[in-house]
Amino acid sequence: MQRSTWRTWSGTVGCAPAQLVRPTGEDEIVQAVRAAAGSGLTVRAAGTGHSFNRLATTPGVLLDLTSYSGVVAVDRAAGEATVRAGTPIGVLCRELDRQGLALENIGTLAEQTVAGALSTGNHGTGLAHPPLSGQVTRVRLVTADGVARDVGPGDDPDLWGSVRTALGTLGVLTTVTLRCVPAFNLRLRLHSEPLDALLERFTHWAGQSEHPSLNWLPWTDRVSVRSIDRTDEPATPRAPLRRYASTLDEVRCGITGQAGRVGGAGTVPWLTSRVGGLWPDSPYIDTSHRVFTFPQPVRFLAMEHALPLERTADALRALRPVLRRLGAYSPYSVLVRVSAGDDLPLSLAHGRDTGYINVTVPRTAGQIEILRAAEHVLREYEARPHWGKAHTATAEVLAPRYPRWKDFQRIRTLLDPAGVFSNEYADKVLGPVPATARDRAPAGAAQ
């Protein structure tokens, strides 16, 4: 019998699991984990597949959680919302908006599931805001012994910190409870300025707006700066349409990238100079989640690294000559964002205010070399690669960059000594579970 197949959103990574399960309830997840562990099969959970590496792949049992979706409860008095793991962030935000609530900060991708975003260290931008995990107040997960358990701030601090960014290696998240705030509007403003001038005052710039970001095309010496701040003013007329300016820019990148394959190295800058900047850049105001996110229909590959905030400007300076020497350019801008630090063992922002440098390329072999070159540069600046994006780092490279690495490994060994939730990627970036042997121990060993 032919196996079912599963692929990531980008279409560049896939697998043919022994079993592909699409649960609609927690009881089905529990049953699937128990059956897999009893048969000596590994288990991985997947959402919409927006990771660009082999994070969710497995030859064992793959739980596709996209049908396990929906808002379970909204507690307006407590300011909390509980959702099923496979719920897209955009679905949650729209439901919260209907009830006069919002998440205080999110990334740009509304289609990503809550559990997938949480598990990989998803973040928005703003020095007053840690990654998404900082908005989580409780989680529920099914561990390797097939038991669903609730975890919250009152539990072992290492456990509570670890479950909020765990790469799916501690169990299958079933529900997530997030802190909410009253709904609010945001004003988005854009301007352009010289790259070097901004880098000279980078840490100051990072704190000037509540949600700052910049986009830089490496063959130029200017950046497009985006400033997003709260406002009590009403939404701009036809504001929901304005978010599609970023979508149109993504379409432009996709078309330009294809033309660059045929026309050579100079094609991408030439075309971008003629079709870029056609979209309105005047300020506008809209509901928060519509300003934070925009539809992203064009498929691509992305790599992102988290650096100490104070080293981000130097890393960009070092990146500039390297990208210019390659002889090929990506039509996508280098995206830079920032966040507050936190104390989660595997958080990209652990222990430091953080700058994020994101490099995106079309899905072609010639463009992937851009990612390799950028990774080589960024690694020299204490960078931590995003758990869900493209990179080549191994556990040997990563362990020294996370002061609480051993704390996470202790929890991982406790909850999954047999490596039920491991896969090739997890073993590469985290190392094998210390207790794991080729002949897997019974899953019931985890208590």
Side-chain angles (χ1 to χ4, degrees):
M1 182 176 67
Q2 186 176 10
R3 286 186 173 187
S4 298
T5 59
W6 179 87
R7 299 195 73 79
T8 58
W9 171 82
S10 66
T12 55
V13 173
C15 65
Q19 298 176 39
L20 179 58
V21 181
R22 294 184 172 91
T24 58
E26 185 182 82
D27 58 337
E28 296 173 57
I29 296 172
V30 168
Q31 292 168 12
V33 170
R34 288 178 178 173
S39 301
L41 296 174
T42 56
V43 179
R44 295 298 293 165
T48 49
H50 278 86
S51 290
F52 298 101
N53 52 48
R54 305 193 68 84
L55 176 62
T57 61
T58 180
V61 176
L62 182 63
L63 299 178
D64 180 342
L65 300 181
T66 53
S67 296
Y68 183 62
S69 176
V71 178
V72 176
V74 176
D75 186 335
R76 292 176 56 86
E80 292 183 339
T82 300
V83 298
R84 296 182 182 92
T87 307
I89 290 174
V91 170
L92 169 59
C93 289
R94 289 191 293 273
E95 177 57 29
L96 291 177
D97 191 44
R98 282 192 287 268
Q99 302 203 37
L101 297 171
L103 297 178
E104 61 185 356
N105 193 29
I106 54 176
T108 62
L109 186 62
E111 289 75 24
Q112 191 174 22
T113 63
V114 170
L118 188 62
S119 298
T120 55
N122 183 274
H123 60 90
T125 186
L127 286 182
H129 303 279
L132 178 66
S133 53
Q135 299 174 63
V136 175
T137 60
R138 289 188 306 280
V139 301
R140 186 169 170 85
L141 76 162
V142 177
T143 49
D145 52 2
V147 173
R149 59 186 295 179
D150 295 304
V151 183
D155 290 288
D156 176 338
D158 289 346
L159 173 62
W160 173 230
S162 295
V163 296
R164 286 179 286 159
T165 302
L167 287 67
T169 61
L170 301 184
V172 181
L173 290 172
T174 61
T175 62
V176 177
T177 302
L178 298 109
R179 184 180 64 255
C180 305
V181 298
F184 58 95
N185 285 352
L186 290 170
R187 175 187 282 110
L188 184 150
R189 294 168 296 159
L190 294 169
H191 75 272
S192 174
E193 66 176 276
L195 171 64
D196 287 324
L198 188 143
L199 294 182
E200 284 296 323
R201 56 184 180 86
F202 182 83
T203 55
H204 176 69
W205 164 81
Q208 283 187 302
S209 171
E210 185 174 2
H211 305 283
S213 63
L214 66 85
N215 293 82
W216 167 54
L217 292 167
W219 61 86
T220 73
D221 289 313
R222 296 189 68 82
V223 291
S224 175
V225 179
R226 181 180 297 236
S227 302
I228 299 175
D229 295 282
R230 291 198 188 203
T231 178
D232 293 327
E233 296 181 34
T236 305
R238 296 182 294 280
L241 296 177
R242 297 292 300 275
R243 65 200 293 252
Y244 289 97
S246 295
T247 302
L248 291 171
D249 197 52
E250 293 251 333
V251 172
R252 186 268 306 166
C253 288
I255 295 171
T256 304
Q258 290 299 318
R261 295 179 63 185
V262 177
T267 304
V268 168
W270 184 84
L271 276 176
T272 301
S273 68
R274 281 153 180 79
V275 301
L278 298 180
W279 328 124
D281 60 1
S282 56
Y284 74 93
I285 299 169
D286 200 2
T287 303
S288 60
H289 71 89
R290 287 199 294 262
V291 177
F292 283 137
T293 68
F294 63 92
Q296 300 182 38
V298 180
R299 307 193 178 210
F300 51 76
L301 288 174
M303 178 191 74
E304 184 175 60
H305 281 63
L307 300 80
L309 182 70
E310 65 275 10
R311 303 205 68 186
T312 306
D314 286 341
L316 287 166
R317 291 187 185 97
L319 200 57
R320 176 164 47 185
V322 171
L323 294 180
R324 290 181 176 180
R325 283 197 301 265
L326 280 176
Y329 286 113
S330 169
Y332 295 91
S333 301
V334 174
L335 170 64
V336 180
R337 294 175 288 175
V338 299
S339 83
D342 61 24
D343 63 352
L344 278 62
L346 292 188
S347 171
L348 299 172
H350 177 88
R352 63 198 194 191
D353 285 347
T354 297
Y356 302 91
I357 298 178
N358 184 94
V359 181
T360 299
V361 299
R363 300 178 300 166
T364 57
Q367 296 286 314
I368 293 174
E369 185 58 36
I370 295 174
L371 300 185
R372 295 193 183 103
E375 181 180 23
H376 180 75
V377 172
L378 298 178
R379 192 175 288 182
E380 299 303 311
Y381 290 85
E382 303 176 60
R384 300 165 179 160
H386 192 294
W387 296 116
K389 298 188 180 182
H391 69 93
T392 64
T394 63
E396 290 73 22
V397 171
L398 295 169
R401 296 168 191 244
Y402 288 88
R404 294 185 61 196
W405 184 267
K406 291 182 179 179
D407 294 337
F408 180 86
Q409 297 294 2
R410 179 181 73 83
I411 296 299
R412 186 180 176 208
T413 302
L414 177 67
L415 292 186
D416 187 19
V420 171
F421 297 111
S422 291
N423 70 350
E424 178 187 356
Y425 176 82
D427 286 349
K428 171 189 170 183
V429 299
L430 299 178
V433 179
T436 299
R438 291 297 178 185
D439 296 324
R440 295 189 181 276
Q447 297 295 331

